[in-house]
Amino acid sequence: MPLRQEYHEWYKDAVFYEVSVRSFHDGSGNGIGDFKGLTDKLPYIADLGVTAIWLLPFYPSPLRDDGYDIADYFAIHPDYGTMADFEQFLIRAHELGLKVVADLVVNHTSSENRWFQEARRDPHSPYHDYYVWSDDPSRFSEARIIFCDTETSNWTYDPMAGKHYWHRFYGHQPDLNYDNPAVQEEMLRVVDFWLGKGLDGFRVDAVPYLFERDGTNCENLPETHEFCRKLRAHVDLYHPGAVLLAEANQWPHDVVKYFGDGDEFHMCFNFPLMPRLYMAIRREEAKPIVDIISQLPRIPPSCQWATFLRNHDELSLEMVSHEERDYMYREYAKDPRMKINLGIRRRLFPLMDNNRKAIELLHSLLLTLPGTPVLYYGDEIGMGDNIYLGDRNGVRTPMQWSGDRNAGFSTADPSRVFSPVVIDPVYHFNGVNVESAQRSHSSFLNWLRIIIKVRQRHPAFSRGEVRFLPHESIPVVAYTCTHGEQVMLVINNLSRFTQYVSLDLSAFRGCTPVDCFGGCRFPVIGDTNYLITTGPHSFYWFELQRPG
Ligand code: BGC
């Protein structure tokens, strides 16, 4: 079994980069991204300063949900290459010091999966009980419909089985039946298979929905947590050092339960925080950020949040109030095509209307608020989206490498490329591409590389404790991050206009705030409040140096 290089709690100091094999780079020239192409581009990813890659599903699949509909858990989608290509990719990533986690789709399979095909054909097959069947489609009616734009029920009638099967997502994604111990064992076999190849962990998809119980909303059930503990114990025992990251899009008190007592997931995405970052910057007030972080209960010491601005899905608005959702739609989805289900299908730069200062500020928050940042491919070069593509495909278009044919993504005939490249005049690949961004010293890409380096030099940002500083300035978010002897002071101005903030820093009397970027030493902190002025959408990261 390949050795997994590890050091203690590596995921806490990581910066993740989420990438879709399909969209990143086509190494075979057939118009579809593949492992060869991705391997060629690994130096680019490493050079960005990220330390871990999260791969979207790359398994055989009819791709009716971009691979989240898995037809075979133990193979590579032929579009993306061979198992040998995957193994080569993993070796190269590890050589470059990059960890790799993959999506583990535990809740459901594709209806084309052999398990489901057997299940529907033969009620006596052992696979029949891999799925959840009922004659009565009104069962579990308290469970919400997640893909509410396309699905009208969580049950679909299967004429071959003569019964309805349960699914929380698309009708072609039947849910696995976790009450069946064989399903649990099967999933652990999947885990062993991939971790055995040397993967460093999983982003575990759609965790809250594993079990169903009458009279409940079928989310976050105790049985689900029990399975999560079993999964974790298995990983700890057989694959120490591997990480489990939960996708549990839930309210704060429900999300934190997925950390358990440090015996469920190492990491959980901070879904409650993400939309509030956008709300805060548009309203120019710190409150949404401070409130939500203050509401999050403490997490076990071995655990870590995963923070993010965007990902391959819609900007999810499930965990906000109705008023907040209306506000977000009003501000960020002016064209109805921008909406999908309960969210907004746009990329970061279009969401922020290309406002560079505001985007930098969001990254200041992303890289200093509690947790490990997860970046989404293409956002580092300011890629646009295409709201005229179906589903969430508009934020999954080919990576823009250069101004060449197909944005340098593929040498194939443009009509063969799996998705159109972005040609919207503002985000056209002629100008928005890696080559141009690398050439321009002042590009966002180069700025991001630097700020990631600065974060990585200060463990207080990844491992420290964040404490908000009270003050009177509504648009300013100010906090300290403390880890051992290291104290960082972060000040973010969410406003379009210049602000000042008066901070009680008496606990740090005698310390000198030293700017983390240029090294400028600010006046020593004295007895009176510390007064700082900040420009529009500006931020400061200081290290507080003790006297002597
Ligand atoms: C993934 C989506 C997918 C859904 C169903 C989600 O959590 O992020 O992209 O459509 O699971 O598998």
Side-chain angles (χ1 to χ4, degrees), residues 386-425:
N386 182 348
I387 55 170
Y388 299 98
L389 298 178
D391 204 336
R392 289 144 293 172
N393 297 328
V395 300
R396 301 170 181 178
T397 59
M399 178 70 177
Q400 296 168 194
W401 294 102
S402 68
D404 295 344
R405 184 211 301 221
N406 304 319
F409 162 76
S410 170
T411 54
D413 183 323
S415 39
R416 267 190 88 180
V417 175
F418 80 94
S419 151
V421 290
V422 171
I423 51 167
D424 170 302

mmCIF file of all heavy atoms in Angstrom, residues 386-425:
data_model
loop_
_atom_site.group_PDB
_atom_site.id
_atom_site.type_symbol
_atom_site.label_atom_id
_atom_site.label_comp_id
_atom_site.label_asym_id
_atom_site.label_seq_id
_atom_site.Cartn_x
_atom_site.Cartn_y
_atom_site.Cartn_z
ATOM 1 N N ASN A 386 -21.508 31.409 -17.553
ATOM 2 C CA ASN A 386 -22.398 31.420 -18.711
ATOM 3 C C ASN A 386 -23.784 30.964 -18.255
ATOM 4 O O ASN A 386 -24.048 29.771 -18.163
ATOM 5 C CB ASN A 386 -21.841 30.485 -19.788
ATOM 6 C CG ASN A 386 -22.690 30.494 -21.042
ATOM 7 O OD1 ASN A 386 -23.810 31.015 -21.042
ATOM 8 N ND2 ASN A 386 -22.175 29.921 -22.106
ATOM 9 N N ILE A 387 -24.625 31.929 -17.940
ATOM 10 C CA ILE A 387 -25.928 31.580 -17.343
ATOM 11 C C ILE A 387 -26.880 30.960 -18.367
ATOM 12 O O ILE A 387 -27.973 30.537 -18.006
ATOM 13 C CB ILE A 387 -26.600 32.804 -16.667
ATOM 14 C CG1 ILE A 387 -26.735 33.957 -17.653
ATOM 15 C CG2 ILE A 387 -25.831 33.209 -15.421
ATOM 16 C CD1 ILE A 387 -27.599 35.084 -17.139
ATOM 17 N N TYR A 388 -26.429 30.905 -19.624
ATOM 18 C CA TYR A 388 -27.312 30.310 -20.639
ATOM 19 C C TYR A 388 -27.104 28.808 -20.763
ATOM 20 O O TYR A 388 -27.835 28.143 -21.485
ATOM 21 C CB TYR A 388 -27.123 31.024 -21.983
ATOM 22 C CG TYR A 388 -27.494 32.480 -21.825
ATOM 23 C CD1 TYR A 388 -26.524 33.453 -21.624
ATOM 24 C CD2 TYR A 388 -28.837 32.856 -21.752
ATOM 25 C CE1 TYR A 388 -26.873 34.772 -21.395
ATOM 26 C CE2 TYR A 388 -29.189 34.168 -21.518
ATOM 27 C CZ TYR A 388 -28.218 35.124 -21.345
ATOM 28 O OH TYR A 388 -28.569 36.415 -21.098
ATOM 29 N N LEU A 389 -26.128 28.272 -20.061
ATOM 30 C CA LEU A 389 -25.959 26.816 -20.042
ATOM 31 C C LEU A 389 -26.890 26.247 -18.969
ATOM 32 O O LEU A 389 -27.204 26.920 -17.990
ATOM 33 C CB LEU A 389 -24.502 26.448 -19.735
ATOM 34 C CG LEU A 389 -23.467 26.927 -20.765
ATOM 35 C CD1 LEU A 389 -22.059 26.547 -20.331
ATOM 36 C CD2 LEU A 389 -23.769 26.354 -22.145
ATOM 37 N N GLY A 390 -27.296 24.980 -19.148
ATOM 38 C CA GLY A 390 -28.253 24.394 -18.213
ATOM 39 C C GLY A 390 -27.646 24.074 -16.862
ATOM 40 O O GLY A 390 -26.433 24.157 -16.672
ATOM 41 N N ASP A 391 -28.512 23.725 -15.926
ATOM 42 C CA ASP A 391 -28.116 23.273 -14.595
ATOM 43 C C ASP A 391 -27.040 24.219 -14.021
ATOM 44 O O ASP A 391 -27.163 25.435 -14.144
ATOM 45 C CB ASP A 391 -27.619 21.809 -14.690
ATOM 46 C CG ASP A 391 -27.737 21.085 -13.348
ATOM 47 O OD1 ASP A 391 -27.741 21.758 -12.315
ATOM 48 O OD2 ASP A 391 -27.812 19.845 -13.337
ATOM 49 N N ARG A 392 -25.957 23.656 -13.449
ATOM 50 C CA ARG A 392 -24.911 24.529 -12.916
ATOM 51 C C ARG A 392 -23.689 24.544 -13.840
ATOM 52 O O ARG A 392 -22.591 24.891 -13.420
ATOM 53 C CB ARG A 392 -24.521 24.027 -11.505
ATOM 54 C CG ARG A 392 -25.620 24.285 -10.480
ATOM 55 C CD ARG A 392 -25.694 23.164 -9.470
ATOM 56 N NE ARG A 392 -26.152 21.922 -10.090
ATOM 57 C CZ ARG A 392 -26.160 20.737 -9.477
ATOM 58 N NH1 ARG A 392 -25.761 20.645 -8.239
ATOM 59 N NH2 ARG A 392 -26.590 19.647 -10.112
ATOM 60 N N ASN A 393 -23.922 24.173 -15.098
ATOM 61 C CA ASN A 393 -22.798 24.047 -16.034
ATOM 62 C C ASN A 393 -22.140 25.380 -16.359
ATOM 63 O O ASN A 393 -20.998 25.421 -16.804
ATOM 64 C CB ASN A 393 -23.253 23.363 -17.318
ATOM 65 C CG ASN A 393 -23.711 21.951 -17.029
ATOM 66 O OD1 ASN A 393 -23.187 21.316 -16.112
ATOM 67 N ND2 ASN A 393 -24.698 21.459 -17.752
ATOM 68 N N GLY A 394 -22.855 26.460 -16.145
ATOM 69 C CA GLY A 394 -22.308 27.788 -16.443
ATOM 70 C C GLY A 394 -21.136 28.159 -15.567
ATOM 71 O O GLY A 394 -20.366 29.073 -15.909
ATOM 72 N N VAL A 395 -20.957 27.482 -14.416
ATOM 73 C CA VAL A 395 -19.791 27.772 -13.566
ATOM 74 C C VAL A 395 -18.769 26.642 -13.669
ATOM 75 O O VAL A 395 -17.872 26.531 -12.848
ATOM 76 C CB VAL A 395 -20.184 28.028 -12.087
ATOM 77 C CG1 VAL A 395 -21.132 29.207 -11.980
ATOM 78 C CG2 VAL A 395 -20.795 26.792 -11.430
ATOM 79 N N ARG A 396 -18.940 25.791 -14.690
ATOM 80 C CA ARG A 396 -18.041 24.638 -14.842
ATOM 81 C C ARG A 396 -17.420 24.612 -16.240
ATOM 82 O O ARG A 396 -17.104 23.560 -16.770
ATOM 83 C CB ARG A 396 -18.828 23.346 -14.609
ATOM 84 C CG ARG A 396 -19.479 23.278 -13.232
ATOM 85 C CD ARG A 396 -20.455 22.129 -13.093
ATOM 86 N NE ARG A 396 -21.070 22.112 -11.771
ATOM 87 C CZ ARG A 396 -21.986 21.238 -11.380
ATOM 88 N NH1 ARG A 396 -22.411 20.298 -12.204
ATOM 89 N NH2 ARG A 396 -22.487 21.292 -10.159
ATOM 90 N N THR A 397 -17.275 25.763 -16.844
ATOM 91 C CA THR A 397 -16.774 25.831 -18.220
ATOM 92 C C THR A 397 -15.255 25.582 -18.245
ATOM 93 O O THR A 397 -14.601 25.640 -17.203
ATOM 94 C CB THR A 397 -17.099 27.206 -18.841
ATOM 95 O OG1 THR A 397 -16.484 28.199 -18.033
ATOM 96 C CG2 THR A 397 -18.587 27.452 -18.934
ATOM 97 N N PRO A 398 -14.694 25.311 -19.445
ATOM 98 C CA PRO A 398 -13.267 24.988 -19.518
ATOM 99 C C PRO A 398 -12.376 26.081 -18.928
ATOM 100 O O PRO A 398 -12.616 27.274 -19.136
ATOM 101 C CB PRO A 398 -13.020 24.844 -21.023
ATOM 102 C CG PRO A 398 -14.343 24.455 -21.591
ATOM 103 C CD PRO A 398 -15.363 25.188 -20.764
ATOM 104 N N MET A 399 -11.355 25.614 -18.241
ATOM 105 C CA MET A 399 -10.346 26.515 -17.684
ATOM 106 C C MET A 399 -9.702 27.291 -18.824
ATOM 107 O O MET A 399 -9.414 26.733 -19.886
ATOM 108 C CB MET A 399 -9.307 25.671 -16.945
ATOM 109 C CG MET A 399 -8.172 26.457 -16.348
ATOM 110 S SD MET A 399 -8.741 27.457 -14.945
ATOM 111 C CE MET A 399 -7.188 28.169 -14.423
ATOM 112 N N GLN A 400 -9.489 28.570 -18.588
ATOM 113 C CA GLN A 400 -8.940 29.440 -19.635
ATOM 114 C C GLN A 400 -7.425 29.593 -19.458
ATOM 115 O O GLN A 400 -6.970 30.324 -18.581
ATOM 116 C CB GLN A 400 -9.687 30.777 -19.587
ATOM 117 C CG GLN A 400 -11.159 30.575 -19.922
ATOM 118 C CD GLN A 400 -12.081 31.737 -19.641
ATOM 119 O OE1 GLN A 400 -13.295 31.584 -19.634
ATOM 120 N NE2 GLN A 400 -11.532 32.910 -19.399
ATOM 121 N N TRP A 401 -6.689 28.902 -20.304
ATOM 122 C CA TRP A 401 -5.225 28.885 -20.165
ATOM 123 C C TRP A 401 -4.544 29.975 -20.982
ATOM 124 O O TRP A 401 -3.505 30.492 -20.587
ATOM 125 C CB TRP A 401 -4.673 27.507 -20.578
ATOM 126 C CG TRP A 401 -5.124 26.443 -19.630
ATOM 127 C CD1 TRP A 401 -6.125 25.533 -19.818
ATOM 128 C CD2 TRP A 401 -4.619 26.201 -18.317
ATOM 129 N NE1 TRP A 401 -6.268 24.741 -18.691
ATOM 130 C CE2 TRP A 401 -5.347 25.133 -17.769
ATOM 131 C CE3 TRP A 401 -3.599 26.790 -17.550
ATOM 132 C CZ2 TRP A 401 -5.110 24.638 -16.480
ATOM 133 C CZ3 TRP A 401 -3.357 26.300 -16.279
ATOM 134 C CH2 TRP A 401 -4.106 25.241 -15.748
ATOM 135 N N SER A 402 -5.135 30.290 -22.138
ATOM 136 C CA SER A 402 -4.480 31.277 -23.011
ATOM 137 C C SER A 402 -5.521 31.828 -23.984
ATOM 138 O O SER A 402 -6.691 31.430 -23.946
ATOM 139 C CB SER A 402 -3.351 30.606 -23.794
ATOM 140 O OG SER A 402 -3.925 29.700 -24.714
ATOM 141 N N GLY A 403 -5.061 32.699 -24.864
ATOM 142 C CA GLY A 403 -5.979 33.254 -25.871
ATOM 143 C C GLY A 403 -6.067 32.364 -27.104
ATOM 144 O O GLY A 403 -6.687 32.738 -28.104
ATOM 145 N N ASP A 404 -5.455 31.178 -27.045
ATOM 146 C CA ASP A 404 -5.470 30.274 -28.212
ATOM 147 C C ASP A 404 -6.830 29.624 -28.399
ATOM 148 O O ASP A 404 -7.748 29.822 -27.598
ATOM 149 C CB ASP A 404 -4.423 29.173 -28.019
ATOM 150 C CG ASP A 404 -3.017 29.745 -28.001
ATOM 151 O OD1 ASP A 404 -2.868 30.909 -28.436
ATOM 152 O OD2 ASP A 404 -2.112 29.053 -27.524
ATOM 153 N N ARG A 405 -6.893 28.767 -29.410
ATOM 154 C CA ARG A 405 -8.128 28.021 -29.682
ATOM 155 C C ARG A 405 -8.629 27.329 -28.398
ATOM 156 O O ARG A 405 -7.840 26.778 -27.628
ATOM 157 C CB ARG A 405 -7.814 26.958 -30.739
ATOM 158 C CG ARG A 405 -9.045 26.191 -31.165
ATOM 159 C CD ARG A 405 -8.740 24.785 -31.551
ATOM 160 N NE ARG A 405 -7.804 24.621 -32.641
ATOM 161 C CZ ARG A 405 -7.957 23.710 -33.594
ATOM 162 N NH1 ARG A 405 -9.024 22.974 -33.644
ATOM 163 N NH2 ARG A 405 -7.048 23.548 -34.496
ATOM 164 N N ASN A 406 -9.911 27.360 -28.181
ATOM 165 C CA ASN A 406 -10.546 26.756 -26.992
ATOM 166 C C ASN A 406 -9.888 27.224 -25.689
ATOM 167 O O ASN A 406 -9.790 26.476 -24.716
ATOM 168 C CB ASN A 406 -10.485 25.233 -27.037
ATOM 169 C CG ASN A 406 -11.097 24.665 -28.303
ATOM 170 O OD1 ASN A 406 -12.140 25.146 -28.750
ATOM 171 N ND2 ASN A 406 -10.456 23.669 -28.891
ATOM 172 N N ALA A 407 -9.416 28.444 -25.690
ATOM 173 C CA ALA A 407 -8.783 29.028 -24.500
ATOM 174 C C ALA A 407 -7.573 28.212 -24.045
ATOM 175 O O ALA A 407 -7.198 28.255 -22.870
ATOM 176 C CB ALA A 407 -9.803 29.164 -23.360
ATOM 177 N N GLY A 408 -6.976 27.449 -24.958
ATOM 178 C CA GLY A 408 -5.818 26.631 -24.593
ATOM 179 C C GLY A 408 -6.201 25.408 -23.782
ATOM 180 O O GLY A 408 -5.348 24.646 -23.338
ATOM 181 N N PHE A 409 -7.500 25.180 -23.628
ATOM 182 C CA PHE A 409 -7.973 24.029 -22.838
ATOM 183 C C PHE A 409 -7.805 22.726 -23.622
ATOM 184 O O PHE A 409 -7.487 21.677 -23.070
ATOM 185 C CB PHE A 409 -9.451 24.253 -22.469
ATOM 186 C CG PHE A 409 -10.179 23.005 -22.055
ATOM 187 C CD1 PHE A 409 -9.967 22.457 -20.798
ATOM 188 C CD2 PHE A 409 -11.063 22.362 -22.924
ATOM 189 C CE1 PHE A 409 -10.621 21.292 -20.415
ATOM 190 C CE2 PHE A 409 -11.722 21.207 -22.550
ATOM 191 C CZ PHE A 409 -11.499 20.663 -21.287
ATOM 192 N N SER A 410 -8.033 22.802 -24.940
ATOM 193 C CA SER A 410 -8.023 21.592 -25.768
ATOM 194 C C SER A 410 -7.631 21.967 -27.190
ATOM 195 O O SER A 410 -7.965 23.064 -27.659
ATOM 196 C CB SER A 410 -9.440 20.994 -25.757
ATOM 197 O OG SER A 410 -9.539 19.969 -26.711
ATOM 198 N N THR A 411 -6.978 21.019 -27.872
ATOM 199 C CA THR A 411 -6.642 21.271 -29.266
ATOM 200 C C THR A 411 -7.744 20.757 -30.201
ATOM 201 O O THR A 411 -7.610 20.824 -31.420
ATOM 202 C CB THR A 411 -5.315 20.555 -29.625
ATOM 203 O OG1 THR A 411 -5.459 19.182 -29.272
ATOM 204 C CG2 THR A 411 -4.133 21.167 -28.910
ATOM 205 N N ALA A 412 -8.807 20.221 -29.627
ATOM 206 C CA ALA A 412 -9.881 19.637 -30.447
ATOM 207 C C ALA A 412 -10.589 20.707 -31.276
ATOM 208 O O ALA A 412 -10.509 21.908 -30.986
ATOM 209 C CB ALA A 412 -10.895 18.951 -29.544
ATOM 210 N N ASP A 413 -11.282 20.249 -32.284
ATOM 211 C CA ASP A 413 -12.181 21.112 -33.034
ATOM 212 C C ASP A 413 -13.129 21.764 -32.021
ATOM 213 O O ASP A 413 -13.725 21.072 -31.199
ATOM 214 C CB ASP A 413 -12.965 20.199 -34.000
ATOM 215 C CG ASP A 413 -13.885 20.983 -34.900
ATOM 216 O OD1 ASP A 413 -14.463 21.984 -34.423
ATOM 217 O OD2 ASP A 413 -14.025 20.593 -36.060
ATOM 218 N N PRO A 414 -13.276 23.090 -32.053
ATOM 219 C CA PRO A 414 -14.101 23.759 -31.025
ATOM 220 C C PRO A 414 -15.479 23.123 -30.847
ATOM 221 O O PRO A 414 -16.008 23.085 -29.731
ATOM 222 C CB PRO A 414 -14.204 25.188 -31.532
ATOM 223 C CG PRO A 414 -12.958 25.379 -32.356
ATOM 224 C CD PRO A 414 -12.631 24.040 -32.955
ATOM 225 N N SER A 415 -16.061 22.602 -31.919
ATOM 226 C CA SER A 415 -17.405 22.043 -31.736
ATOM 227 C C SER A 415 -17.380 20.710 -30.976
ATOM 228 O O SER A 415 -18.422 20.219 -30.564
ATOM 229 C CB SER A 415 -18.120 21.908 -33.076
ATOM 230 O OG SER A 415 -17.236 21.485 -34.060
ATOM 231 N N ARG A 416 -16.204 20.133 -30.785
ATOM 232 C CA ARG A 416 -16.109 18.884 -30.022
ATOM 233 C C ARG A 416 -15.932 19.135 -28.529
ATOM 234 O O ARG A 416 -16.067 18.218 -27.722
ATOM 235 C CB ARG A 416 -14.892 18.077 -30.495
ATOM 236 C CG ARG A 416 -15.196 17.074 -31.559
ATOM 237 C CD ARG A 416 -13.983 16.172 -31.772
ATOM 238 N NE ARG A 416 -13.987 15.007 -30.891
ATOM 239 C CZ ARG A 416 -13.028 14.079 -30.887
ATOM 240 N NH1 ARG A 416 -11.996 14.197 -31.676
ATOM 241 N NH2 ARG A 416 -13.107 13.047 -30.081
ATOM 242 N N VAL A 417 -15.567 20.342 -28.168
ATOM 243 C CA VAL A 417 -15.275 20.611 -26.751
ATOM 244 C C VAL A 417 -16.560 20.440 -25.941
ATOM 245 O O VAL A 417 -17.636 20.854 -26.373
ATOM 246 C CB VAL A 417 -14.660 22.018 -26.591
ATOM 247 C CG1 VAL A 417 -14.461 22.361 -25.125
ATOM 248 C CG2 VAL A 417 -13.321 22.079 -27.323
ATOM 249 N N PHE A 418 -16.429 19.809 -24.765
ATOM 250 C CA PHE A 418 -17.617 19.388 -24.018
ATOM 251 C C PHE A 418 -18.519 20.541 -23.613
ATOM 252 O O PHE A 418 -19.704 20.360 -23.350
ATOM 253 C CB PHE A 418 -17.195 18.581 -22.774
ATOM 254 C CG PHE A 418 -16.753 19.458 -21.629
ATOM 255 C CD1 PHE A 418 -17.649 19.832 -20.643
ATOM 256 C CD2 PHE A 418 -15.455 19.942 -21.561
ATOM 257 C CE1 PHE A 418 -17.254 20.662 -19.597
ATOM 258 C CE2 PHE A 418 -15.058 20.764 -20.524
ATOM 259 C CZ PHE A 418 -15.959 21.125 -19.542
ATOM 260 N N SER A 419 -17.952 21.741 -23.551
ATOM 261 C CA SER A 419 -18.750 22.908 -23.167
ATOM 262 C C SER A 419 -18.171 24.115 -23.880
ATOM 263 O O SER A 419 -16.961 24.183 -24.101
ATOM 264 C CB SER A 419 -18.628 23.117 -21.652
ATOM 265 O OG SER A 419 -18.767 24.469 -21.315
ATOM 266 N N PRO A 420 -19.008 25.089 -24.232
ATOM 267 C CA PRO A 420 -18.431 26.304 -24.824
ATOM 268 C C PRO A 420 -17.512 26.998 -23.814
ATOM 269 O O PRO A 420 -17.766 26.931 -22.610
ATOM 270 C CB PRO A 420 -19.652 27.182 -25.137
ATOM 271 C CG PRO A 420 -20.825 26.530 -24.499
ATOM 272 C CD PRO A 420 -20.458 25.138 -24.097
ATOM 273 N N VAL A 421 -16.461 27.620 -24.320
ATOM 274 C CA VAL A 421 -15.632 28.439 -23.428
ATOM 275 C C VAL A 421 -16.321 29.797 -23.289
ATOM 276 O O VAL A 421 -17.167 30.151 -24.100
ATOM 277 C CB VAL A 421 -14.192 28.605 -23.978
ATOM 278 C CG1 VAL A 421 -13.434 27.296 -23.889
ATOM 279 C CG2 VAL A 421 -14.209 29.124 -25.399
ATOM 280 N N VAL A 422 -15.922 30.547 -22.281
ATOM 281 C CA VAL A 422 -16.606 31.825 -22.027
ATOM 282 C C VAL A 422 -16.151 32.879 -23.041
ATOM 283 O O VAL A 422 -14.952 33.141 -23.178
ATOM 284 C CB VAL A 422 -16.348 32.299 -20.577
ATOM 285 C CG1 VAL A 422 -16.872 33.716 -20.369
ATOM 286 C CG2 VAL A 422 -16.988 31.333 -19.582
ATOM 287 N N ILE A 423 -17.114 33.449 -23.768
ATOM 288 C CA ILE A 423 -16.766 34.486 -24.760
ATOM 289 C C ILE A 423 -17.528 35.791 -24.517
ATOM 290 O O ILE A 423 -17.505 36.690 -25.337
ATOM 291 C CB ILE A 423 -17.027 33.995 -26.209
ATOM 292 C CG1 ILE A 423 -18.437 33.437 -26.334
ATOM 293 C CG2 ILE A 423 -15.994 32.960 -26.636
ATOM 294 C CD1 ILE A 423 -18.874 33.222 -27.767
ATOM 295 N N ASP A 424 -18.187 35.854 -23.372
ATOM 296 C CA ASP A 424 -18.818 37.106 -22.952
ATOM 297 C C ASP A 424 -17.732 38.195 -23.014
ATOM 298 O O ASP A 424 -16.607 37.971 -22.569
ATOM 299 C CB ASP A 424 -19.306 36.879 -21.510
ATOM 300 C CG ASP A 424 -19.761 38.134 -20.828
ATOM 301 O OD1 ASP A 424 -18.971 39.094 -20.704
ATOM 302 O OD2 ASP A 424 -20.906 38.140 -20.389
ATOM 303 N N PRO A 425 -18.042 39.359 -23.607
ATOM 304 C CA PRO A 425 -16.977 40.354 -23.827
ATOM 305 C C PRO A 425 -16.185 40.717 -22.563
ATOM 306 O O PRO A 425 -14.982 40.920 -22.629
ATOM 307 C CB PRO A 425 -17.736 41.577 -24.361
ATOM 308 C CG PRO A 425 -19.080 41.095 -24.752
ATOM 309 C CD PRO A 425 -19.340 39.775 -24.097
#
